[in-house]
Amino acid sequence: MALAFYDRFEKQPVSRWELAYKIMHDVLPVLVTSPLTYAVKGPPVKEWTLSYYVGVRVINAYLAGDRAKSKPNIAAAQERSLHLRPKLPPGTLVTQEIINPEQSVIDFIKTHQPGEWPPHAGNTGHEILCEWYSTPESEDRVILHLHGGAYVHGSSRTHAGIITKMAKSAKAKVFAVNYRLAPQNPYPCGLIDAVSAYLHLLKTHRPDQIVVMGDSAGGGLSFALLLCLRDWKQPLPAGGYLQSPWVDLTDMRVVADVDKKNDYLPAGLPTDERLQGRTHYYAANDALTCPYVSPTFASFHDLPPILMQTGTEEKLHDMILKVKEKMQDVPLVFEEYHGHVHVFQLFSYTKGSQTSLDRAGKWIIQVTSGDVPQNAHTQHGFDGSLLQ
């Protein structure tokens, strides 16, 4: 009997040299040749420094290497990301908390689930590892953080840099949720975990003290969380901060090597033979137009204030602009950063990244103080400066 989709991705044996080989094979050649290419041809975007150019090319090489494999060892990569030990700023306090999926959340989402329901999605015994990050500046407000990584990779540890910077700039504690990842745990497992984490926070915090935050897939999941809470008539948080959110999983231009070639997101669909006709690891093809999977298909009303940031060189830029145009009835601050790539906030040494996070921190303080910002669409230079 054929294995169910989510049972095809058991962890494969890992050589102790696997990661070293990947870096040598996929990353090192790019790391060596990129400075020469930059010197001879110049940067593809005039504002890019050498370090920014090399960073973009290295991330692209690392991601593209797995994209081209017929059977990438996804489970091993996921495990590695949870065991990272990132260097944190002095004074940062990190504590762990284990929570479980809420049965009421499972019951509600099941009524909105198109297609197949993964049997383990309803496992209330699953342990969701969450991490609290606080800095000396942290006050009572809380950021619920959902990391990016195409719903397949990433963890609170891979995003610790952004998390600690937001804890400082927003004067907040950050509750980082390591939600279940695809393909072993496809939609709606991640959404169940995200909504359960929010309800858990409501046991100790008022909703107006909480802001939901996420980047890329985590931004899409944050959007889905807000939509789910609204549809379920649950108390809404003070706002949502979305960095380069992945809002449309049906848009195949994102993977085409035609536009936005400067971004680090690799071109082409995964060649993993275990997909067997599916477009994405995260959700079955018949679920891709569900608003909780692709928020662009939602109706946009009765939502809290949202701050959305995008880089003009990222492959998701056009889809983000499209969803922005649909959000006429939502309190929205929309910021475009010219010359920047997908989730450019990761490039923390750039002024554009620093400016975006500083502005987000002020916005979070504002909305958690009960002040709804006026709708705005601002353009920013590569250095974060406001363009006229």
Side-chain angles (χ1 to χ4, degrees), residues 5-320:
F5 172 75
Y6 30 79
D7 290 331
R8 300 173 196 157
F9 298 89
E10 292 299 321
K11 183 179 175 182
Q12 304 159 37
V14 184
S15 164
R16 61 186 298 183
W17 302 110
E18 181 176 321
L19 181 58
Y21 175 80
K22 176 177 175 58
I23 292 172
M24 292 287 290
H25 182 268
D26 297 339
V27 175
L28 189 59
V30 175
L31 189 62
V32 170
T33 59
S34 291
L36 179 61
T37 303
Y38 183 92
V40 174
K41 295 184 177 180
V45 178
K46 66 178 182 178
E47 296 90 352
W48 284 17
T49 62
L50 174 61
S51 59
Y52 195 94
Y53 175 73
V54 173
V56 169
R57 297 277 69 85
V58 164
I59 296 173
N60 173 265
Y62 186 89
L63 297 176
D66 278 347
R67 180 69 63 93
K69 292 180 180 177
S70 62
K71 196 177 279 190
N73 198 348
I74 294 172
Q78 292 170 344
E79 186 175 299
R80 278 199 302 268
S81 73
L82 269 175
H83 289 87
L84 292 174
R85 295 186 177 276
K87 185 177 180 180
L88 301 175
T92 304
L93 178 64
V94 183
T95 57
Q96 293 187 342
E97 183 173 1
I98 302 293
I99 65 172
N100 302 102
E102 298 268 358
Q103 185 63 53
S104 60
V105 177
I106 295 166
D107 294 340
F108 177 79
I109 293 177
K110 196 167 187 178
T111 65
H112 292 72
Q113 166 71 5
E116 182 182 12
W117 176 264
H120 45 291
N123 178 14
T124 57
H126 171 72
E127 294 185 342
I128 307 167
L129 173 63
C130 303
E131 292 190 321
W132 283 99
Y133 288 75
S134 62
T135 67
E137 295 82 6
S138 298
E139 297 178 359
D140 290 338
R141 65 182 61 86
V142 176
I143 298 172
L144 190 159
H145 182 269
L146 301 170
H147 65 80
Y151 297 106
V152 176
H153 298 294
S155 70
S156 56
R157 305 293 180 84
T158 61
H159 286 62
I162 284 182
I163 288 171
T164 53
K165 284 180 171 59
M166 284 310 305
K168 183 175 181 178
S169 66
K171 298 181 180 179
K173 295 173 289 186
V174 180
F175 189 60
V177 182
N178 289 293
Y179 56 90
R180 283 173 287 180
L181 297 174
Q184 309 94 314
N185 296 284
Y187 174 82
C189 296
L191 181 58
I192 289 171
D193 293 354
V195 179
S196 297
Y198 177 76
L199 296 185
H200 176 77
L201 285 180
L202 289 184
K203 297 174 183 177
T204 52
H205 296 81
R206 301 189 314 271
D208 61 6
Q209 293 177 300
I210 303 170
V211 166
V212 176
M213 170 188 170
D215 67 285
S216 192
L221 186 57
S222 297
F223 217 147
L225 167 58
L226 296 177
L227 294 168
C228 183
L229 294 173
R230 178 202 65 187
D231 295 344
W232 196 13
K233 296 181 171 51
Q234 294 293 316
L236 293 171
Y241 170 34
L242 313 180
Q243 300 171 329
S244 301
W246 191 13
V247 292
D248 186 0
L249 274 66
T250 71
D251 190 344
M252 291 296 99
R253 290 175 303 168
V254 174
V255 298
D257 195 17
V258 176
D259 198 15
K260 308 292 184 185
K261 291 185 179 181
N262 297 326
D263 199 10
Y264 61 75
L265 292 178
L269 290 168
T271 57
D272 194 325
E273 63 189 34
R274 296 165 295 185
L275 282 167
Q276 296 185 1
R278 287 172 65 123
T279 305
H280 297 288
Y281 290 113
Y282 179 54
N285 294 348
D286 60 358
L288 296 182
T289 56
C290 172
Y292 297 163
V293 175
S294 297
T296 193
F297 294 101
S299 56
F300 298 100
H301 61 83
D302 300 318
L303 289 169
I306 289 176
L307 169 61
M308 195 179 299
Q309 294 173 337
T310 177
T312 59
E313 292 298 318
E314 67 169 302
K315 288 187 175 180
L316 272 59
H317 183 244
D318 289 346
M319 75 163 64
I320 293 171

Side-chain angles (χ1 to χ4, degrees), residues 320-378:
I320 293 171
L321 283 177
K322 277 188 174 182
V323 79
K324 176 255 179 187
E325 292 303 319
K326 297 179 180 181
M327 297 172 65
Q328 301 301 316
D329 296 324
V330 178
L332 175 65
V333 174
F334 188 84
E335 298 181 352
E336 290 182 88
Y337 288 78
H338 286 256
H340 278 287
V341 294
H342 185 61
V343 196
F344 63 92
Q345 294 86 352
L346 292 169
F347 295 80
S348 58
Y349 53 85
T350 66
K351 287 185 178 179
S353 171
Q354 294 164 10
T355 298
S356 69
L357 295 175
D358 287 344
R359 289 176 64 89
K362 293 175 182 176
W363 181 88
I364 290 172
I365 292 172
Q366 185 177 1
V367 296
T368 52
S369 300
D371 184 6
V372 178
Q374 290 186 340
N375 285 27
H377 181 170
T378 57

